[in-house]
Amino acid sequence: MFGVRGTGDTSGFGGLVAPVVLPTAAQRPFGGWFDTVADKLDALIESVVIHRGEITFHVHRDNLLAVAKLLRDDPALRFEFLSGVSAVHYPGDTGRELHAVYHFMSYTWNRRIRVESSAPDGDAHFPSLVPLYPAADWHERETWDMFGIIFDGHPALTRILMPDDWPGHPQRKDYPLGGIPVEYKGATIAPPDQRRSYS
């Protein structure tokens, strides 16, 4: 109907492969207030990426609490609000497979930044930011539920979306795409390579 050739499968099982190209690190000067924030965090950051007009500070997980505290407490920064915690799973990024991503906002200066940190698959531990930013509570729970990242020091790290006895973490790229039993009359979702074709 729409000119699809072959199976029309977009899950990758039909051979469709899109390369993942990550933006490269930016060089100073970053421009405008980006440099103001970078100057304050300079000793704690590994790299800075500017992509589509947004800035991301990559920090080692050991420095995460220090970065968050500085962002919140420094009068020149004043990032009072942590608007979200999420994650990305890059299976090909050896030794850094799991990335925790934090979105901060300064109401004082009307600025938004992103802080990203990484950990290996076998040691997916990050410090919890709940003591500094209480809004991180449910965000960290959801990130643990979907990706399996453990936030050390979280007051109650339990599943928030999936049932307590659910096996695995559904947003990881190594999680099966189908064939998972559904809790409705014994129905199952077939894996993508076993679904019927509609053409």
Side-chain angles (χ1 to χ4, degrees):
M1 182 161 136
F2 298 106
V4 174
R5 290 181 176 77
T7 65
D9 173 41
T10 58
S11 67
F13 284 96
L16 180 65
V17 177
V20 176
V21 180
L22 301 175
T24 58
Q27 302 298 319
R28 284 182 183 266
F30 304 129
W33 62 266
F34 288 175
D35 286 304
T36 305
V37 178
D39 289 344
K40 294 284 186 177
L41 300 176
D42 200 30
L44 300 170
I45 56 179
E46 294 178 332
S47 66
V48 177
V49 173
I50 299 174
H51 185 61
R52 297 181 179 171
E54 299 176 354
I55 190 163
T56 303
F57 295 97
H58 291 262
V59 302
H60 193 275
R61 62 181 168 170
D62 294 342
N63 294 331
L64 200 53
L65 283 174
V67 167
K69 189 167 181 5
L70 189 60
L71 288 172
R72 185 191 67 178
D73 297 343
D74 191 295
L77 300 178
R78 299 286 308 267
F79 284 92
E80 303 97 344
F81 182 52
L82 174 65
S83 63
V85 180
S86 57
V88 187
H89 182 213
Y90 295 113
D93 193 4
T94 308
R96 303 166 39 96
E97 292 87 2
L98 289 166
H99 291 232
V101 185
Y102 303 84
H103 302 268
F104 293 92
M105 181 174 181
S106 168
Y107 290 123
T108 303
W109 305 107
N110 191 24
R111 297 172 177 167
R112 295 173 187 269
I113 65 166
R114 185 180 303 111
V115 173
E116 190 169 328
S117 189
S118 61
D121 230 347
D123 182 26
H125 288 263
F126 291 89
S128 175
L129 295 191
V130 172
L132 296 172
Y133 291 94
D137 189 346
W138 284 15
H139 294 279
E140 289 181 355
R141 284 180 60 195
E142 182 178 353
T143 304
W144 176 78
D145 195 0
M146 295 289 107
F147 291 91
I149 291 176
I150 299 165
F151 293 95
D152 298 321
H154 189 282
L157 195 61
T158 57
R159 289 200 184 265
I160 193 169
L161 298 174
M162 306 303 289
D164 290 338
D165 60 348
W166 192 266
H169 304 280
Q171 288 190 343
R172 291 174 52 100
K173 291 193 173 90
D174 55 4
Y175 193 78
L177 290 175
I180 306 298
V182 176
E183 295 181 23
Y184 182 73
K185 298 184 180 179
T188 59
I189 302 168
D193 58 344
Q194 294 176 9
R195 294 180 191 155
R196 67 181 184 163
S197 174
Y198 292 98
S199 54

